[in-house]
């Protein structure tokens, strides 16, 4: 009781890496889009992202009557910005762009911005379907966020630190996915859900004509959809330092291992989307509250006992 | 230098967005103006070196304001933002109270005889703050926290008997 924890020196990349981060994240997202197109069985998958971006860039913005342009634009803009800020604490190889002492909480705080963003976009167009989509995300948000939070915190608990580089260091002997498999699975599910992705895409589903994004076209749609992809890539990449040992691996340098593991997690999430239909919202919300939350708490308890026993 | 600039920018942002809460005529915009004001305050807490508290304020406020947006728009007087509304009822009275409170607090900051710092800040201010606040009651607080949370989950479970499509499982 009462002894101060030792604060390790931050191990961040040089400042100019902050300028490269958007480029890197954009490049990985581009690859993920190509992969997604290939999964969907499109011919010439390599050209799909470029074609789509060009189409949206020249497309006209749709204007709706009495829309709330301020909130709508801010909402769409927040998505990519939040994804980038979340990626700042991501160890690219051994070091992140910003090695915050509260990296895990920072990541989560940036992620939940998406929650506000989708609602703002849905509200902004003053369209019934858009609003339905926005409210869907808000209604499910807590059911996504709470298991997500517990899963992330379990990893932090295992390393006794909220700093991502320390969490990676703590996995030198054993990856956290081995001692906290439940947290890992819940993390993957809720990460997809927080990016309203795959089976959890009810807020932008076809049954409400695109939901929150129903009235978006042109640049607005590009920013919204791009932001969502960036968010998904960031969330997938965060699974690597949290559960998969970060850059640990034989022979190859750390950054290659991070890239390989991130690609594997992303591929899993892409496959998930093409394999499963949209989950009925009320079913998942109930499942999250009744099954996932108690499970993640039990997982955290088990890890806490292991940590206490090892100390 | 940078810290001083940041302080003034964030302080001004907190005030301006707080002011906008009472000036804007759409409940949705009011909610997010309030959120922006809180985020500026979170930035100020970060400037104090309390990393954990600052980020947690941002995290909780975003969640809270989004939930709040749902209820405020549901219950307040501009249904779906279609009719202009105002957050202020007793205009003159509320302005006097607000400005009065601000003046009193600001005067307090300027007039109080602040003690000079003795000793050094802790290596981990969040840890020190937690110790100072909770100290020996940590176990009680944790038990309470888990108990409260279990109550919330149980309440939700009991109250959501049916889904959107009726009672079928």
């Amino acid at each position: 009781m009462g002894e101060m924890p030792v604060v390790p020196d931050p191990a961040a990349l040089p400042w100019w890496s902050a300028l490269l981060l958007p480029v890197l994240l954009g490049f990985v997202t581009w690859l993920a889009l190509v992969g997604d197109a290939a999964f969907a069985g499109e011919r010439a998958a390599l050209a799909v992202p470029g074609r789509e971006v060009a189409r949206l860039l020249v497309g006209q913005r749709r204007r709706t009557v009495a829309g709330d342009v301020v909130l709508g634009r801010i909402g769409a803009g927040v998505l990519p910005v939040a994804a980038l800020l979340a990626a700042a604490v991501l160890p690219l190889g051994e070091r992140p762009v910003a090695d915050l002492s509260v990296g895990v909480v920072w990541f989560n705080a940036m992620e939940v911005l998406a929650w506000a963003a989708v609602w703002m976009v849905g509200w902004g167009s003053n369209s019934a379907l858009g609003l339905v989509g926005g409210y869907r995300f808000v209604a499910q948000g807590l059911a996504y966020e709470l298991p997500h939070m517990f899963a992330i915190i379990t990893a932090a608990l295992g390393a006794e630190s909220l700093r991502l580089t320390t969490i990676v260091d703590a996995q030198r002997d054993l990856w956290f996915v081995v001692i906290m498999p439940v947290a890992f699975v819940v993390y993957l599910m809720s990460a997809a859900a927080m990016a309203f992705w795959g089976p959890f895409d009810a807020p932008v589903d076809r049954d409400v004509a695109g939901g929150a994004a129903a009235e978006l076209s042109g640049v607005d749609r590009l920013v919204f959809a791009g932001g969502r992809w960036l968010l998904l890539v960031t969330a997938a990449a965060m699974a690597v330092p949290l559960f998969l040992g970060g850059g640990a691996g034989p022979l190859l340098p750390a950054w290659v291992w991070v890239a390989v593991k991130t690609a594997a997690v992303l591929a899993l999430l892409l496959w998930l989307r093409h394999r499963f239909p949209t989950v009925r919202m009320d079913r998942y919300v109930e499942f999250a509250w009744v099954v996932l939350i108690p499970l993640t708490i039990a997982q955290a308890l088990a890890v806490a006992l292991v940590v206490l026993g090892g100390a | 230098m940078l810290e001083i600039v940041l302080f003034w920018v964030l302080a001004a942002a907190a005030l301006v967005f707080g002011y906008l809460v009472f000036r804007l005529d759409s409940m949705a915009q009011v909610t997010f103006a309030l959120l922006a004001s809180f985020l500026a305050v979170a930035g100020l807490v970060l400037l104090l070196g309390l990393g954990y508290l600052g980020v947690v304020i941002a995290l909780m406020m975003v969640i809270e304001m989004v939930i709040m947006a749902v209820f405020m728009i549901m219950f307040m007087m501009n249904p779906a933002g279609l009719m202009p509304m105002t957050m202020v009822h007793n205009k003159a009275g509320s302005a006097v109270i607000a400005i009065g409170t601000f003046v009193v607090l600001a005067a307090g900051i300027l007039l109080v005889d602040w003690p000079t710092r003795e000793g050094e800040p802790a290596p981990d201010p969040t840890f020190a703050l937690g110790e100072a606040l909770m100290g020996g009651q940590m176990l009680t607080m944790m038990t309470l926290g888990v108990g409260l949370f279990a109550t919330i989950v149980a309440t939700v479970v009991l109250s959501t008997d049916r889904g959107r499509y009726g009672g079928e499982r």
Side-chain angles (χ1 to χ4, degrees):
Chain A
M1 255 297 175
E3 72 197 89
M4 279 286 167
V6 183
V7 182
D9 289 326
L13 291 169
W15 64 270
W16 47 262
S17 61
L19 305 177
L20 288 182
L21 185 67
V23 181
L24 179 71
L25 199 63
F27 177 66
V28 176
T29 306
W30 192 278
L31 291 180
L33 272 158
V34 170
D36 185 57
F39 259 120
E42 295 229 21
R43 279 177 298 155
L46 268 178
V48 167
R51 209 172 52 203
E52 186 67 9
V53 168
R55 186 180 73 80
L56 289 176
L57 273 179
V58 297
Q60 206 161 26
R61 280 175 153 169
R62 190 180 304 166
R63 293 188 178 279
T64 47
V65 180
D68 192 334
V69 181
V70 177
L71 282 192
R73 296 264 161 88
I74 293 178
V78 158
L79 275 182
V81 172
L84 264 179
L85 288 176
V89 293
L90 199 63
L92 313 162
E94 274 158 8
R95 300 192 214 167
V97 171
D99 191 25
L100 302 184
S101 61
V102 290
V104 164
V105 191
W106 170 266
F107 166 71
N108 197 221
M110 293 305 116
E111 243 186 338
V112 295
L113 281 179
W115 210 18
V118 172
W119 188 86
M120 283 155 106
V121 170
W123 172 271
S125 57
N126 190 26
S127 121
L129 294 174
L131 202 57
V132 169
Y135 274 121
R136 277 186 175 184
F137 200 38
V138 170
Q140 297 166 96
L142 275 185
Y144 296 158
E145 169 61 16
L146 288 175
H148 192 65
M149 225 181 234
F150 282 118
I152 295 178
I153 282 302
T154 310
L157 185 65
E160 292 184 74
S161 171
L162 296 169
R163 187 190 293 272
L164 277 152
T165 45
T166 314
I167 295 179
V168 171
D169 281 343
Q171 300 176 65
R172 232 170 307 170
D173 301 326
L174 193 62
W175 291 4
F176 279 168
V177 64
V178 181
I179 50 173
M180 42 187 93
V182 176
F184 177 63
V185 172
V186 170
Y187 176 83
L188 280 190
M189 284 168 71
S190 50
M194 293 293 280
F196 44 109
W197 177 260
F200 311 103
D201 57 355
V204 290
D205 201 11
R206 267 173 300 186
D207 69 339
V208 279
E215 301 290 346
L216 297 183
S217 65
V219 178
D220 294 328
R221 179 172 282 273
L222 179 66
V223 173
F224 180 84
R228 178 198 193 195
W229 270 96
L230 290 176
L231 205 63
L232 180 81
V233 168
T234 308
M238 194 54 80
V240 176
L242 285 180
F243 298 102
L244 300 177
L251 295 176
L252 300 170
W255 65 270
V256 177
W257 276 113
V258 169
V260 168
K261 292 172 188 174
T262 305
V265 176
L266 257 179
L268 185 69
L269 290 179
L270 292 185
W271 173 81
L272 198 72
R273 171 164 98 136
H274 290 288
R275 181 69 186 75
F276 291 100
T278 302
V279 178
R280 219 175 81 183
M281 284 167 293
D282 54 330
R283 286 222 171 125
Y284 185 78
V285 168
E286 188 175 1
F287 175 66
W289 277 94
V290 179
V291 180
L292 291 186
I293 291 178
L295 260 184
T296 44
I297 292 180
Q299 173 79 88
L301 179 67
V303 171
L305 291 178
V306 169
V307 169
L308 283 179
Chain B
M1 185 59 203
L2 180 70
E3 284 195 355
I4 296 172
V5 173
L6 264 178
F7 168 80
W8 283 106
V9 169
L10 287 172
L15 277 183
V16 168
F17 282 114
Y19 175 71
L20 283 179
V21 168
F22 299 96
R23 291 298 299 177
L24 293 171
D25 61 357
S26 142
M27 187 46 100
Q29 291 189 358
V30 163
T31 309
F32 287 103
L34 188 56
L35 175 58
S37 180
F38 278 137
L39 289 182
V41 173
L44 288 173
V45 175
L46 283 178
L47 270 189
L48 289 176
L50 296 171
Y52 180 76
L53 280 187
V55 179
V56 158
I57 289 177
L59 173 69
M60 299 319 279
M61 282 307 152
V62 171
I63 297 180
E64 194 175 304
M65 281 303 139
V66 174
I67 295 175
M68 213 118 106
V70 176
F71 287 99
M72 300 228 295
I73 289 162
M74 204 155 63
F75 291 129
M76 296 290 275
M77 50 284 195
N78 70 331
L82 296 175
M83 290 155 67
M85 50 70 74
T86 168
M87 291 286 282
V88 188
H89 292 285
N90 175 11
K91 265 200 178 154
S94 53
V96 168
I97 294 173
I99 294 172
T101 314
F102 180 81
V103 167
V104 167
L105 291 177
I109 293 173
L110 295 176
L111 295 181
V112 163
D113 190 15
W114 294 100
T116 46
R117 163 170 270 169
E118 288 170 11
E120 289 284 296
D124 186 347
T126 307
F127 188 88
L129 184 65
E131 272 279 315
L133 285 177
M134 309 244 258
Q137 273 70 50
M138 199 71 86
L139 186 65
T140 324
M141 295 305 289
M142 294 312 288
T143 317
L144 262 180
V146 174
L148 274 175
F149 191 71
T151 316
I152 297 174
V153 174
T155 316
V156 171
V157 170
L158 289 176
S159 59
T160 57
D161 184 36
R162 278 168 293 109
R164 178 179 165 197
Y165 303 97
E168 105 275 26
R169 291 274 150 173

